[in-house]
Amino acid sequence: MLTADFTLIHARELVCITSTPTDSKPWRGSDLSSLGIISDGALAARGGRIIWVGRTDELTRHVQPTSNPTEIDATGRVVTPGLVDAHTHPVFPAARADEFALRAAGKTYQEIAQAGGGIANSVSRTHSASTPDLERLARQVADRMLAGGTTTAEAKSGYGLNRDDELRMLRVIRSINEHHAIEWVPTAMPAHEVPAEFRSNPDLYVTLVMEEILPAIAAAGLAEFNDVFCEAGVFNRSQSQQIQTRARELGFGLKFHADELSDQGGAELAAAMGAISADHLVYISESGIAAMAKSETIAVMLPGTAYYLDLPRRPPVRRMIESGLAVALATDCNPGSNMTESMPLAMNQACVLYKMSPAEALVAATWNAACAIGRADRIGALAPGRQCDLVVWAVGDHRELAYHYGVNLAVAVIKKGRVVRS
Ligand code: NIG
Ligand code: FE
């Protein structure tokens, strides 16, 4: 008999994704819609870890409760793993609603950036923001993520662009991990933009990133991954490769903002360098698809950004899935190109804009997203041995999670066996 301090019963659909605790690879091709649904499902956990999953009528044969357990009756509801947001920029000093208004009036993201707005806008405000202010605002982002069912998110620096402010941003991310129920997986991104003072000689900044900023972040142990914005007018392919070669030497896993606004061969570079993910990929080429299909690099799709920037192209996501790429979803939550914390919205956008099925969107927002941030051993699925991170939704059919949008359908959010939102 197992002893549980947390039980959940009568889920109309308990979406487990995998029942094998040791699975560690993302789902590809037709497996991308494998949800592993148990009807009238039940789950038991102890000390924040799942110990049993099955049908409700079998629970009492396997599990007995401790004296004061948390008990959830999910009658009529869908229960899924906690959503995983595989790409966010959640630490920023101020909103950029002025730029949003300019875009509504017809300006493009690049035009605004060239006029001194965009990432540079957030960078100069980060320099003058106090750390308590950055923390307070980051906590608000974390609250909104959790309220919408996101229990883990990757979180990038990248509005500091100098050693001290990049370190400061990553310390804010660490402080969220220490004081908030959400988990943020830290990614360094000093190569998010070329700072204004290096515009006349970007290679000097590339050297600074390689010789000063990344070594300082590595020495402080503040990030697991390093990300580079490989884009025309930002970091070209060769600069991106130099930076990531150094990042790999320093022990970081690699992520890329690849082929977001134009085809730069970013997908090919990410695959060749063994990156854990290549993100955006709106302009991925045929050779990029072929290179990623043969690699372990996961394609993190951010349909919200393409929507928010009203990009004229849609990435060939169906062809990517059919070619065998592992596809994950994320919001890209940031104050410029997609101001939302909502993963259910990203799932809706993936279905509407990219023609993913609701089941594919759910796997891409849980299991494949966990794989894309190096957490396949812990989260993204409901199986014994995994962390008890889950969401109870106010719907009875998993397809409704992507179908009904613009409202929050999360009824209860559980992180490590504790109810953190209800
Ligand atoms: O992922 N592409 C670069 N970075 C962000 C935008 C950040 C910003 O505008 O502040 C993105 O879209
Ligand atoms: Fe991004």
Side-chain angles (χ1 to χ4, degrees):
M1 210 49 159
L2 300 162
T3 311
D5 57 19
F6 174 98
T7 57
L8 178 144
I9 54 170
H10 290 313
R12 182 169 167 162
E13 293 185 355
L14 184 72
V15 179
C16 298
I17 313 278
T18 171
S19 56
T20 316
T22 50
D23 268 331
S24 61
K25 299 267 191 226
W27 286 175
R28 294 171 188 258
S30 55
D31 286 345
L32 188 58
S33 44
S34 300
L35 293 175
I37 293 175
I38 302 177
S39 48
D40 197 16
L43 176 149
R46 188 185 169 99
R49 295 221 158 259
I50 299 170
I51 53 173
W52 185 86
V53 174
R55 284 183 57 89
T56 301
D57 56 10
E58 291 177 351
L59 177 74
T60 52
R61 266 200 280 137
H62 299 275
V63 176
Q64 63 186 23
T66 52
S67 55
N68 196 13
T70 303
E71 292 176 315
I72 295 183
D73 184 337
T75 299
R77 315 269 203 211
V78 168
V79 174
T80 68
L83 302 180
V84 179
D85 193 338
H87 178 140
T88 81
H89 307 251
V91 183
F92 51 84
R96 299 202 329 245
D98 48 347
E99 294 181 6
F100 180 73
L102 287 174
R103 280 208 313 282
K107 290 251 180 304
T108 67
Y109 183 75
Q110 288 100 318
E111 283 166 354
I112 293 167
Q114 273 146 25
I119 295 171
N121 182 348
S122 290
V123 171
S124 63
R125 296 203 217 179
T126 300
H127 294 328
S128 52
S130 73
T131 304
D133 272 350
L134 286 176
E135 275 178 8
R136 183 176 51 79
L137 292 164
R139 219 174 303 123
Q140 291 174 6
V141 173
D143 287 346
R144 287 189 289 261
M145 285 179 170
L146 206 59
T150 297
T151 48
T152 306
E154 184 259 13
K156 303 177 199 293
S157 66
Y159 294 126
L161 308 192
N162 62 41
R163 186 193 59 197
D164 291 351
D165 282 322
E166 285 294 307
L167 287 170
R168 210 152 65 91
M169 288 188 72
L170 290 163
R171 287 198 187 100
V172 169
I173 292 168
R174 187 174 62 187
S175 145
I176 293 290
N177 279 324
E178 287 166 356
H179 300 112
H180 199 281
I182 204 162
E183 182 186 353
W184 279 0
V185 174
T187 294
M189 203 174 179
H192 193 193
E193 177 59 286
V194 180
E197 60 276 24
F198 288 91
R199 279 280 156 73
S200 55
N201 193 349
D203 281 327
L204 269 186
Y205 183 63
V206 171
T207 305
L208 189 76
V209 168
M210 289 170 26
E211 290 183 1
E212 184 187 321
I213 305 181
L214 285 178
I217 294 170
L222 282 168
E224 295 180 29
F225 301 102
N226 182 60
D227 195 341
V228 173
F229 191 8
C230 179
E231 186 56 68
V234 193
F235 298 96
N236 63 31
R237 231 181 107 112
S238 127
Q239 291 165 329
S240 301
Q241 185 170 9
Q242 286 174 57
I243 292 168
Q244 294 292 45
T245 302
R246 180 74 180 123
R248 197 166 46 191
E249 276 167 25
L250 290 165
F252 295 104
L254 307 184
K255 289 182 162 279
F256 286 79
H257 278 63
D259 306 329
E260 175 181 357
L261 304 168
S262 57
D263 173 21
Q264 298 293 317
E268 292 89 326
L269 178 61
M273 293 194 79
I276 189 164
S277 74
D279 303 23
H280 286 290
L281 302 173
V282 176
Y283 287 85
I284 190 171
S285 64
E286 285 301 323
S287 79
I289 294 176
M292 284 190 68
K294 279 190 256 134
S295 77
E296 299 285 314
T297 304
I298 297 174
V300 176
M301 305 312 292
L302 308 156
T305 309
Y307 156 77
Y308 208 70
L309 298 182
D310 195 15
L311 296 180
R313 184 180 138 114
R314 298 213 172 136
V317 176
R318 285 261 48 101
R319 207 162 63 256
M320 291 163 72
I321 293 170
E322 278 146 26
S323 307
L325 269 75
V327 170
L329 276 177
T331 60
D332 197 20
C333 175
N334 76 77
S337 68
N338 198 25
M339 188 59 268
T340 182
E341 292 85 357
S342 174
M343 280 299 288
L345 178 58
M347 289 159 62
N348 169 270
Q349 290 163 328
C351 296
V352 173
L353 301 175
Y354 294 175
K355 303 293 176 247
M356 289 173 70
S357 72
E360 289 174 334
L362 186 49
V363 171
T366 52
W367 175 240
N368 280 18
C371 295
I373 60 172
R375 289 293 182 279
D377 58 333
R378 258 167 275 181
I379 57 170
L382 300 179
R386 294 185 176 276
Q387 214 162 279
C388 183
D389 292 3
L390 57 86
V391 186
V392 182
W393 301 97
V395 297
D397 177 325
H398 66 271
R399 292 171 297 189
E400 291 179 56
L401 289 178
Y403 154 73
H404 187 163
Y405 82 106
V407 291
N408 189 3
L409 296 166
V411 178
V413 182
I414 315 308
K415 180 74 181 174
K416 295 186 184 161
R418 221 162 47 82
V419 180
V420 289
R421 283 276 164 172
S422 60

